[in-house]
Amino acid sequence: MQVLLLEDDIDLGQAVTDHLEAAGHQVYWCKLISQARDPGPADFAMLDLQLPDGDALTLLRQWRAAGLRLPVLVMTARDQISDRIQGLEAGADDYLVKPFDLDEMLARMSAIQRRSTPSPHIKVQDCEFDLAHLRAWRHGAGVDLTAMEWTVLRVLSGHIGRIYSRTDIESTLVSEGLLAGESNTLEVIISRLRKKLGAGLITTHRGLGYRLES
């Protein structure tokens, strides 16, 4: 996974980063809220709450209000029940009180991932997709999609309602050896998906990227 770590304590942040990387994860370590406002391609977020430039619960509420479904583990020295309730109500998936064992941290991350992994079969608007078997339907009728179209759709369906940047999508196409190289390739794929699945299913957000609408 790509993990966004928001932690200003250097010793703890380094220990967490080392443990995550040893477990095979990629870590983007931020020490200020201002550095973490856009989680980018992160699959998971770990948030300390009290940062030099504010409270990360405000950031978390902003993410959730924007429809971002990124799994979040809060890790903080605030150990009161009221603090935990506040964190969970803000949109955290779990709450880890400092000091904590690094192996327990990994176990909690895995548990959150299991709970938040989307079903391979999703339904949005008048379309249904079986991501496991690469089958699509619109109004109950089968729709044929190319490998490139499936890849773009899979990226966008990772978190329905989240805006994915051009870089997010094209990096996946490149990693799967599907990007043709033309500068307008992604626009062409999006256009074909709209023709096949409906004009309103994928929206463009100028300067930001694309979003699959629920």
Side-chain angles (χ1 to χ4, degrees), residues 8 66 100 112 134 157 160 177 186 214:
D8 66 319
F100 51 80
I112 292 172
L134 302 184
S157 64
I160 298 173
L186 182 55
S214 59

Side-chain angles (χ1 to χ4, degrees), residues 107 192 198:
R192 290 174 178 170

Side-chain angles (χ1 to χ4, degrees), residues 127-147:
C127 298
E128 292 185 62
F129 308 106
D130 182 346
L131 300 177
H133 300 94
L134 302 184
R135 300 178 65 191
W137 301 265
R138 186 183 182 199
H139 298 303
V143 178
D144 291 327
L145 301 179
T146 66

Side-chain angles (χ1 to χ4, degrees), residues 55-77:
D55 190 328
L57 282 186
T58 300
L59 174 65
L60 178 54
R61 292 189 183 98
Q62 292 171 349
W63 283 353
R64 296 313 190 213
L68 184 61
R69 304 180 185 182
L70 182 71
V72 172
L73 174 63
V74 165
M75 47 184 199
T76 177

Side-chain angles (χ1 to χ4, degrees), residues 65-114:
L68 184 61
R69 304 180 185 182
L70 182 71
V72 172
L73 174 63
V74 165
M75 47 184 199
T76 177
R78 301 177 189 175
D79 59 357
Q80 298 298 311
I81 294 297
S82 59
D83 292 324
R84 300 187 194 191
I85 292 173
Q86 187 179 27
L88 294 170
E89 288 182 342
D93 294 278
D94 202 353
Y95 200 102
L96 195 56
V97 177
K98 299 176 182 178
F100 51 80
D101 182 85
L102 293 172
D103 287 332
E104 180 186 358
M105 175 193 74
L106 290 177
R108 286 179 180 267
M109 289 176 64
S110 296
I112 292 172
Q113 278 296 103
R114 288 195 298 271

Side-chain angles (χ1 to χ4, degrees), residues 163-180:
I163 297 175
Y164 285 85
S165 69
R166 168 186 289 273
T167 300
D168 294 337
I169 302 171
E170 289 185 340
S171 62
T172 302
L173 288 167
V174 169
S175 68
E176 297 185 8
L178 296 173
L179 192 61

